[in-house]
Amino acid sequence: MSQKKNFTKGFLKENPVFVLLLGLCPALGVTTSAFNGLGMGLATTFVLVMSNIVVSLVKSSIPDKVRIPSFIVIIASFVTIVELTMQGYLPDLYEQLGLFIPLIVVNCLVLGRAEAFASKNTLKSSVIDGLGMGLGFAMALTILGGVRELLGNGAIFGWKFIEGDGILVFILSPGAFIVFGYLVALLNKINKTT
Amino acid sequence: MKTFKRGGVHPEENKLSENQPIEVLSVPKRVTILLGQNLGANSKPVVNKRDKVKVGQLIAKGEAFISANLHSPVSGTVLKIDDVPDQVGHNKAAIVIDVDGDEWVEGIVRSSEIAKDIKLSKEEIVKKIQEMGVVGLGGAAFPTHIKLMVPEGKVPNVLIINGVECEPYLTADHRLMLEKGEELLIGISILMKGLGVSKAIIGIENNKADAIHLLKELANNFLGIEVQSLKVKYPQGGEKQLIKALINREVPSGKLPLDVGCVVSNVGTAFAVYEAVQKNKPLIERVVSVTGKSVKKPSNLLVRIGTPISDLIGKVEGLPEDTGKIIGGGPMMGKTLISMNAAVVKGTSGILVMRENESSRIAVKDCIRCAKCVSVCPMGLSPYLLAIYGEQERYEDAGLEDVMDCIECGSCHYICPSGRPLLDYLRVDKVRVGEIMRNR
Amino acid sequence: MSLLKISGSPHVHGDNSVKGVMYGVLYAMIPAILASIYFFGLDSLKVMLVSVVACLLFEYLIQKYLIKGEVTITDGSALITGVLLAFNVPSNLPVFVIIVGAFVSIVIAKMSFGGLGKNIFNPALVGRVFLLMSFPVEMTSWPIPKPLFSGKVLDAITGPTPLGILKEGLDAGKSVSELSQQLPDYITELLGNHGGSLGEVSAIALLIGAAYLLFRKIITWHIPTSYLGSVIIFSGILWLINPELYINPLFHLVTGGMILGVFFMATDMVTTPMSPKGMIIFGLGAGIITMLIRIWGAYPEGVSFAILIMNAFVPLIDKGFKPKRFGERIKNG
Amino acid sequence: MPISKDAITHPGIIHEVGSERIYVKILSQSACSACHAKGACSVSDLEEKLIDVKIPSGKSYNVGDMVTVGMEKSLGSKAVLLGYFIPFLILLFVLITMLAISDNELLSGMLAIGLLIPYYLILYLLKDKLQKTFEFRIKE
Amino acid sequence: MSDVIIYSVITIAALGTVSAMILFFVAQQFKVIENPKIDDVEEVLPGANCGGCGYAGCRNFAEAIVKTNTLEGMNCPPGGTKVMDNVASIMGMTAEVQAPLVAVMRCSGSKANAPAKVQYDGPETCFFAHNLSAAESGCPYGCLGLADCVRACKFDAMYMDEETGLPVIIEENCVACGACVEACPRDIIELRKVGPKSKRIFVSCINEEKGGVAKKHCSVACIGCWKCEKECKFDAITIENNLAYIDFNKCTLCRKCVVVCPTNAIHELNFKPRKPKPEKKTLENEVKTDAKVVVESEKTEGKPLAKIEDEATDNDNNKE
Amino acid sequence: MAKKESTFLNMVLTLLIITGLSSLALSGVFELTKGPIAKARKEKKERAIKAVLPEFDTMLLKMVMPETGKDSLEFITAYEDSLWVGTAISTYTYKGYSGLIKLMVGLLPDGCIERIAVLEQKETPGLGTKIADEKFKHQFIGKDPAKYILKVKKDGGDVDAITAATISSRAYCEAVQRAYDAFKRDGGNK
Amino acid sequence: MDYIIIFIGAIFVSNIVLAQFLGICPFLGVSGKVSTSLGMGGAVLFVMTLATMVTWIIQKYVLDPFDIGFLQTISFILVIAALVQMVEIILKKVSPPLYQALGIFLPLITTNCAVLGVAILTIQKEHILMEAVVFAIANAIGFTLALVIFAGIREHLDLMNVPKGMRGVPIALISAGILALAFMGFANLV
Ligand SMILES: Cc1cc2nc3c(=O)[nH]c(=O)nc-3n(C[C@H](O)[C@H](O)[C@H](O)COP(=O)(O)O)c2cc1C
Ligand SMILES: Cc1cc2nc3c(=O)[nH]c(=O)nc-3n(C[C@H](O)[C@H](O)[C@H](O)COP(=O)(O)O)c2cc1C
Ligand SMILES: Cc1cc2nc3c(=O)[nH]c(=O)nc-3n(C[C@H](O)[C@H](O)[C@H](O)COP(=O)(O)O)c2cc1C
Ligand SMILES: Cc1cc2nc3c(=O)[nH]c(=O)nc-3n(C[C@H](O)[C@H](O)[C@H](O)CO)c2cc1C
Ligand code: SF4
Ligand code: SF4
Ligand code: SF4
Ligand code: SF4
Ligand code: FES
């Protein structure tokens, strides 16, 4: 696969959220606004890229059987780094994302990529893969958050352009499922036609 | 008023021919006797091409356990023994006889005098019935003698006679009960003797009050025969439902009436038994109702087995202009005929002609889960689900949902507001599940 | 003579059709429609019209342009959804909000599943609950009835529903007997001259319709009976324990959407179990959940939630409570 | 095996054929079984298990044959009961009693967890009996 | 400050070690018994999971191949020889050569050739219609046109021709998985050798009725007249139960039988069009409608069924 | 490079190294971010205190146990030029629509409410969250809870509840009342 | 009483799947068959309780005393991963047939997301051990409830001819959304 394709596949064809259906908990849990979605997406991207880097660097010095626990430790470390950094420098966002930051650890996307891709590929392609997938994830979360914010609050990225309250359900939990459902259907359709 | 509890429907009765006495249809020019007329294995021909046969002569022998003898209903020459299209157009083995005169084999008593005394013993009765090729005339054409051969360990204690005729339009049994009441009762007594029971109940639906009245009166002269009137409800004639209605026993899934101590026979069968045992006459003719709203002269005809259906139609002054469907049997369970050239078989209880505007099904829509089909199913099944399984080819699931219990009464399709062809899919299910079970 | 037809049996069909069933329900709703027009005036007519037109339009558009199948808006089911949605909202609901509700009912709750017969949740109720969550202000300001010919043409005074009065009062620590002065008497509640959603206020009008439905055998007794039964038993027990804290069962029966819900919405056959036993379980469950929410929950009214929650259980109920098979029980003798 | 309402079945492939038993390999699917991405994420959730089954009399099998192994559904529930639910009850019961008699959360917690050991020991001792209970059958 | 570091390292290292031990045991218990070859083999399989190989899915097939370590009797119809060659090279073996097959439709009872005499009113499935009665045309052998076969085909190799009411096989897509053969309740579809340059000759009828009866249902029925049998010099044609059958192993594609058939029941596919010569035997309209069927499946501009002209040129293609 | 064998020793060593390294790294990051985290927390609090009190230069912390409620309240007494200018009280209620609501209530020495800030809440967006809106908070400014009844109008008080969020409004009042009561009990000043 | 509030709260009011969005992957992935989803519930019940107990103890007696709370994530995930594996090994050692029976009956339990989430949540809520255990049990039950209802819905949807574009995941998600909507009726039900 060419590097470019490797990078772009995460956006449509193999979008981790809409197509592969990975990491749904944060995808539904934090996307009450586009900004939160973006924040979560970028945090995940960071963890993904960093752990991909480390995994592809150390891949040959790890015995097969402890691969997974080693990866978990590596990933968990980066998650904690994100956690601490956010707490220090983006306290408001940290509060909004709450529980879902530590849960990046169990996001199958991260572990899956480390395991399936980085542990077999070169540093460069691992970085590209992580970046592509991570940004795909971030994009998905931003779109989901954006749609929910727009419908639920009449705003995008906090910029309110419709007066009044919007349709509240969309920022509540049912709205997450419903919007997500239709987005998956839409993306299926797009992927089928292209 | 007695009836079965669960499910059932009440379609328009339309018994147009109920007041028409049974007429004898003249002998046709050629008859076609299918070798597989009855439930079970085909009969083996014992005549050859160009052989001369007489009325009542054995022409095919039932050799397998479940199969029956066939006798020539006419006298003439065997034209061929070959595949011919049956009522639905599939090619089936048959003996075709060209008619020539009306010569009967000896020993058949042809007088209409009523022979009351039952001279034969239990075993002789069963043997006679087998010899004479008597099969059930209630629809499935199950060889009657097998019903009388009670297996070890089962004890029948009541004979149930099915005079329900719950199918709309059909009146053959009704007329038979009215016109041959006494013979019928003698036939029943013979069956009782053959079976070794001392009790028989004739179940008749309330819309045949005259028959109930008549038989009740006549039954006073017979020991152990009781007539019971029943509320009109389809499919009361189904044997499981009838047993439930009359003696409140439920035949368990996959079991036979005998397992709850009874045997069910149709009134026509009882009459055939009478003729076979008392008159030595094989089953070569039966009463067929030819009816329909557009039919000029709805009738009940006594016809020879093997008569082309076109002859029957001719007798009622021809096929009406606007005919949309011709059905062998009643409107609920009958089969559509593909042409009128096919012949009457032992199981043919009626020929129903439907007008064009009656014969289309309503447009099929998706199931709206109205549960009507569930509530009318006399077997307590979930037809909507079974039909979906059929559609999606999930036959294993259909098997687990007891689709094999379906008696194919069609009540579910009849009632469905979405016009779903439920029974059609259930039939597919049943065939497929049958295949699966056989493969196991 | 055209071609003979061949088909499987049966060859006759009962005279029932989907359309017949649906229009039967519509006829049954006429008394309640009239009552709502009487009590809430032309506003109510407006809400109903908007809702019905929007529902039909959405259904038409989806069937024509997205599913690209047969258009079946004349079968009456979208019409019922429209009327019932209107029945479940206050008469002063803004047009925009009604249209959102119709969209949710038809597009999300019905057509996404494939249309009539396939939806798991009751469309009108999904629409209503969605609106309740999204527009709590609009959905909980109930205009006081201003009967059509009563002369007073006051503009939209809002007031609480009887259940609202009760809930608020109890939450504020008042006792039932203190509150009962504020509550309308039972005659008023039966007739419908009090605050509430369009179609729920007049229990009498609804009961007339319900009787028609039962008479025409469009609905069966199972769900209404078990639903109302469990409500009576549940509230009755609590009432007997402490009549100052828990109001009597009769009040629960005639107030809020109970009658509407029980006879018109909990009986929607699409979203309810298939076997009689299953229906009884459904009714019991819905009754209990309704009372849980009414008595201990945040909302004064729980009928919609209860029915929707039980809708979710329908597949399980259908699995667990099959119709009774013939011949399972061997009875000899 | 007739169509039985109460059987759970699992397709598998014969891995090894012994004199009396055959070993059938099944794929136990994890939560992600329905996931399209299981190729991308072959973590530890696609796992293979070997099931040994007694050979029905009069049949012979070859390595690589597709077979379906099955077991009464009630046995599945029984397995969940023994494997998970009873230990859960032990956990809960010990914890509650311990917390009732002492206030030491650490001790109570550790003890509750610790008492699982004798439970599994007992299971271990009942090994043979369990072996008989959880007998698989083979279809086709 | 350094306390934190010490505690952290101790805690996590301790936890890590414990996990390591646990996982060591896990590793011992759950030895991966998977042969990596399975993945490799699965990779080259088409992934259609059609079941044509006799296994539940492609992976099962791959497992079976690797497990049994033999290719005997193993064939992937969709993939054909190419895939099996690939598999063989992974396994380090040679694949059995299997002559490629393709599905052919052996009924030409189109709406025009076999006009409906009754009208079927029931669910759209051949299986049910077959059990209910003969076809609308009355032919108890002919195609029911309700597309069970088309639905069974997972390779988009079939579609229903609206005009003829018959299924059409798109040769290029057909992988000879046999699903349609299995699905057809009337056993109309047959898998035949593709033949050199996809040329095939076969009797497009399976009606076993006597000629007269068959002809009543359908104008292009095989009437069992023996003409083709007599014409064939290679003993490729046998007639049984009033029905001719051409053995594709013996047929040399000489096309002589095609011409003698009085009902045009013998079809030839993918031959060069013959030089059109005036037709003498059959009715004009029948030929036309029949031609439609052939053209559909040929996807060429074939003018069917005239006189023998160029059979010799094709004669040497028949060995394989 | 060949893969390491999965021997017991190898595995344990690898994991030890990895965990050791990662915990080292983590504690490093922790040390690095400790400052900023603490600062962020402090700033947030200070911002809130400043938002509810008039200008001040010194502040004094203490904990006061209210009569009702489980936890003690934090009192921040503020002085400008050693003059008591007001007290900020971090108060709470669990009766919010989604439980806990934390407020910072600024009281002037005379007991009047200076301003109120919402510290923490999980109310429904668009409904309960309006307790942080000016429109709602504004009505408390300058009110003396001794005269101004801290209850929603429905319950006989003086506070205009947020439409469709009575529960949140009620809880808000309760929290303010708790702060005020503690303030009074504490003697009002220091 | 507190326990009841925790219990009902976790099952109905803020259901782990429908309101907290934890364990969505298995919720969408496994819930195909009612019988197995019930069995899975049993397994989750045990694992979640056990994991919560262990992580609670670690938090309270290791992380808190040494003031290394920032290691929560990494230590919890290690413990949970190891624990889940350990249960499997023990079962396999103790009784292979039992283990096989489970294997054929249940999909593997990889609901790490929910398990870790509950472990962290219970710490955040400052539960005591018993409360933590009740919380874990309730969440496991809530998870099972959602799973079983959903398995039913999925089985049901399989029977329906859902429009092509919506088939599968989209319609499942929309059903889940409506279910979540209905569950909101339980708001404040304690
Ligand atoms: C395989 C088989 C065996 C049967 N054996 C008996 C029997 O031993 N005794 C009996 O009374 N009926 C027996 N029956 C007849 C059935 O009970 C029943 O009368 C027959 O199938 C016709 O029923 P119907 O006309 O309701 O369709 C048997 C039927 C079948 C198919
Ligand atoms: C749905 C259904 C309806 C039936 N209706 C009748 C009926 O009206 N009269 C009748 O004699 N047999 C009817 N039968 C056939 C009976 O079940 C049974 O086979 C028959 O009475 C046995 O008698 P026989 O063997 O003498 O025919 C019906 C069967 C079914 C399945
Ligand atoms: C999804 C949803 C969220 C809600 N959130 C809140 C909330 O955060 N705060 C609140 O006071 N009421 C909230 N409510 C409204 C209450 O349920 C209730 O309607 C209201 O508090 C009392 O109504 P009133 O204020 O009009 O008297 C919410 C309602 C819904 C449907
Ligand atoms: C007795 C009866 C009750 C009905 N109740 C409702 C209802 O509560 N809500 C609704 O949207 N449709 C209702 N319908 C109409 C229809 O069944 C409904 O739109 C389907 O759920 C759409 O698939 C009802 C229909 C009948 C016959
Ligand atoms: S399912 Fe069978 S038995 Fe039941 S109503 Fe339908 S046809 Fe009759
Ligand atoms: S009667 Fe028809 S519409 Fe009603 S449930 Fe049965 S199949 Fe569905
Ligand atoms: S046409 Fe028949 S044989 Fe060919 S691919 Fe399709 S189903 Fe298989
Ligand atoms: S070939 Fe067979 S399966 Fe295909 S449409 Fe014709 S009858 Fe049906
Ligand atoms: S289960 Fe939570 S992200 Fe998958």
Side-chain angles (χ1 to χ4, degrees), chain C residues 61-78:
Chain C
L61 292 176
I62 298 251
Q63 284 181 334
K64 178 118 190 172
Y65 297 107
L66 280 178
I67 296 184
K68 301 204 172 86
E70 198 192 347
V71 174
T72 57
I73 52 168
T74 50
D75 69 13
S77 74

Side-chain angles (χ1 to χ4, degrees), chain B residues 96-405:
Chain B
V96 182
I97 304 172
D98 269 335
V99 180
D100 175 11
D102 195 23
E103 197 181 329
W104 291 60
V105 289
E106 273 167 42
I108 299 178
V109 184
R110 295 181 64 191
S111 78
S112 58
E113 202 178 301
I114 296 176
K116 280 200 177 130
D117 293 347
I118 304 168
K119 300 194 186 89
L120 302 188
S121 71
K122 185 169 182 264
E123 286 69 31
E124 285 167 333
I125 287 174
V126 177
K127 200 151 158 278
K128 194 78 191 169
I129 290 174
Q130 176 171 16
E131 226 170 76
M132 293 294 132
V134 178
V135 301
L137 299 181
F142 185 81
T144 305
H145 65 273
I146 299 173
K147 289 197 190 181
L148 300 183
M149 305 192 312
V150 180
E152 206 64 38
K154 302 209 168 141
V155 193
N157 46 30
V158 52
L159 170 70
I160 287 175
I161 296 299
N162 194 339
V164 172
E165 201 153 56
C166 58
E167 276 269 9
Y169 289 96
L170 300 189
T171 56
D173 288 352
H174 184 185
R175 288 313 304 177
L176 195 73
M177 288 188 280
L178 282 179
E179 295 176 29
K180 307 278 183 201
E182 195 153 8
E183 291 92 326
L184 194 66
L185 288 164
I186 298 168
I188 295 171
S189 307
I190 298 170
L191 281 170
M192 286 162 71
K193 187 166 176 192
L195 200 59
V197 299
S198 55
K199 189 175 166 195
I201 308 173
I202 309 175
I204 306 173
E205 277 188 350
N206 216 18
N207 55 357
K208 293 177 266 292
D210 46 358
I212 298 174
H213 186 75
L214 177 73
L215 288 186
K216 267 194 177 156
E217 214 148 81
L218 291 173
N220 289 334
N221 307 327
F222 289 85
L223 212 62
I225 301 182
E226 181 190 317
V227 178
Q228 180 71 56
S229 65
L230 297 163
K231 199 174 144 193
V232 181
K233 187 155 105 179
Y234 180 84
Q236 193 136 243
E239 58 184 8
K240 291 190 174 185
Q241 279 60 44
L242 185 59
I243 294 168
K244 176 76 185 168
L246 287 176
I247 55 175
N248 197 24
R249 296 180 195 169
E250 279 189 20
V251 182
S253 164
K255 291 274 164 35
L256 296 169
L258 208 48
D259 292 294
V260 294
C262 58
V263 167
V264 183
S265 263
N266 171 257
V267 287
T269 317
F271 179 70
V273 164
Y274 161 81
E275 291 204 316
V277 175
Q278 303 296 77
K279 304 266 176 168
N280 208 21
K281 182 176 164 194
L283 181 56
I284 53 166
E285 53 187 9
R286 67 157 299 150
V287 183
V288 179
S289 304
V290 185
T291 173
K293 284 190 185 146
S294 55
V295 169
K296 293 212 187 70
K297 215 183 104 216
S299 313
N300 300 296
L301 306 175
L302 182 68
V303 302
R304 303 277 170 99
I305 306 296
T307 307
I309 285 161
S310 47
D311 280 19
L312 277 66
I313 304 274
K315 177 78 183 171
V316 295
E317 299 180 6
L319 204 59
E321 268 298 291
D322 60 349
T323 298
K325 221 181 219 180
I326 307 172
I327 298 161
M332 295 299 286
M333 296 191 70
K335 285 188 172 142
T336 41
L337 305 185
I338 201 161
S339 86
M340 293 193 299
N341 301 331
V344 169
V345 293
K346 289 180 181 174
T348 308
S349 50
I351 300 293
L352 171 61
V353 176
M354 289 185 100
R355 287 193 297 232
E356 176 113 51
N357 57 2
E358 298 170 304
S359 56
S360 296
R361 291 175 157 192
I362 69 169
V364 179
K365 300 209 180 93
D366 286 327
C367 168
I368 58 165
R369 292 175 50 84
C370 69
K372 286 259 189 326
C373 55
V374 177
S375 70
V376 300
C377 177
M379 298 307 290
L381 305 177
S382 301
Y384 77 102
L385 185 63
L386 294 167
I388 292 174
Y389 285 153
E391 223 169 343
Q392 301 185 348
E393 305 184 2
R394 288 167 62 178
Y395 304 118
E396 293 255 346
D397 291 317
L400 294 180
E401 286 289 332
D402 299 329
V403 70
M404 295 314 265
D405 278 359

